[in-house]
Amino acid sequence: MKIHYISESNSVLNHFLGQIRNVNIQNDSMRFRRNIERIGEIMAYELSKILPYKNVDIQTPLGIKKTTEIDTDLVLCPILRAGLPLHNGFLNYFDHAENSFVSACRHHPNGDDEFEILVEYQAISDLNNKTVLLLDPMLATGQSIVAVHKKLIENASPTEIHIVVVIAAPEGIAHLEENLPQNCHLWVASLDEKLNEKNYIVPGLGDAGDLAYGSKL
């Protein structure tokens, strides 16, 4: 699996990453969503650099301009619900893309820290011979992304799959490397230290879904 780390040099990306982590700013859910969206826009731009392109001639009012345009069918697939602001950022740049939606959540059947991943709601478009961008802000254990990836390829053969996360733990990256095909790409805005005993990312930012849309029962 090819891994792309995009916050290693200073840019406005690090400014937005700092704000989504800051407990003094997190209580503004609209600002949190907007910053995740901005991060999505930056990551979409970086990812766009390795997509296939084709040469085209554009008619302007004064002549013909040779340029390039994306030469693959894109499908954006956020993992609900936390992935929606990130999806908005990518959709701002790839406004011609198709969209699929899948939900995934941790289920604690025994009421303790042990959990399984439930993949329930899904509205998946035709992914055959297309480039799929799987979007989720947090890569903790990696189990949700592996479960959703399995669901996406059950009845389809995408040309390529790019997994996009804002914050990742080393344990989650290792899990993806063990369980996903080698031709997948992983895009990481920020690599954190570790998972804690409850499998949350440290230092992380908390629960991205709750911060964006409010706490759940």
Side-chain angles (χ1 to χ4, degrees), residues 32-75:
F32 182 85
R33 292 193 303 271
R34 183 66 181 109
N35 281 334
I36 293 288
E37 184 176 338
R38 288 165 169 156
I39 291 168
E41 291 174 345
I42 295 168
M43 297 187 78
Y45 171 73
E46 294 296 332
L47 189 153
S48 74
K49 295 177 182 179
I50 71 165
L51 294 176
Y53 287 79
K54 63 182 178 182
N55 296 320
V56 295
D57 292 335
I58 301 296
Q59 178 70 59
T60 81
L62 299 175
I64 301 294
K65 174 61 179 178
K66 294 185 180 298
T67 186
T68 59
E69 62 183 30
I70 294 173
D71 190 24
T72 184
D73 294 322
L74 295 174
V75 181

Side-chain angles (χ1 to χ4, degrees), residues 133-144:
L133 277 55
L134 180 56
L135 313 171
D136 195 11
M138 311 296 284
L139 171 56
T141 67
Q143 294 180 45
S144 293

Side-chain angles (χ1 to χ4, degrees), residues 106 108 140-141 169 194-202 206-207:
R106 295 183 181 186
H108 300 264
T141 67
K194 61 181 181 180
L195 296 179
N196 65 13
E197 65 280 358
K198 295 184 180 293
N199 288 311
Y200 285 102
I201 301 173
V202 177
D207 189 298

Side-chain angles (χ1 to χ4, degrees), residues 119-178:
V119 178
E120 298 177 321
Y121 176 82
Q122 52 184 302
I124 301 175
S125 58
D126 180 8
L127 306 181
N128 287 307
N129 303 314
K130 297 176 183 177
T131 300
V132 176
L133 277 55
L134 180 56
L135 313 171
D136 195 11
M138 311 296 284
L139 171 56
T141 67
Q143 294 180 45
S144 293
I145 287 176
V146 169
V148 171
H149 176 273
K150 181 179 179 180
K151 179 64 66 176
L152 293 179
I153 64 171
E154 272 184 355
N155 301 301
S157 299
T159 302
E160 200 167 47
I161 295 181
H162 294 261
I163 297 158
V164 180
V165 301
V166 177
I167 296 175
E171 296 92 332
I173 293 176
H175 188 70
L176 297 193
E177 289 181 311
E178 292 173 3

Side-chain angles (χ1 to χ4, degrees), residues 6-25:
I6 64 172
S7 65
E8 294 178 336
S9 58
N10 284 326
S11 75
V12 71
L13 172 62
N14 291 331
H15 178 80
F16 296 138
L17 286 168
Q19 289 193 354
I20 64 172
R21 296 180 188 270
N22 191 327
V23 295
N24 297 313
I25 297 175

Side-chain angles (χ1 to χ4, degrees), residues 77-93:
C77 182
I79 297 180
L80 303 178
R81 63 181 168 153
L84 288 175
L86 190 60
H87 171 253
N88 289 340
F90 270 78
L91 197 56
N92 288 343
Y93 275 32

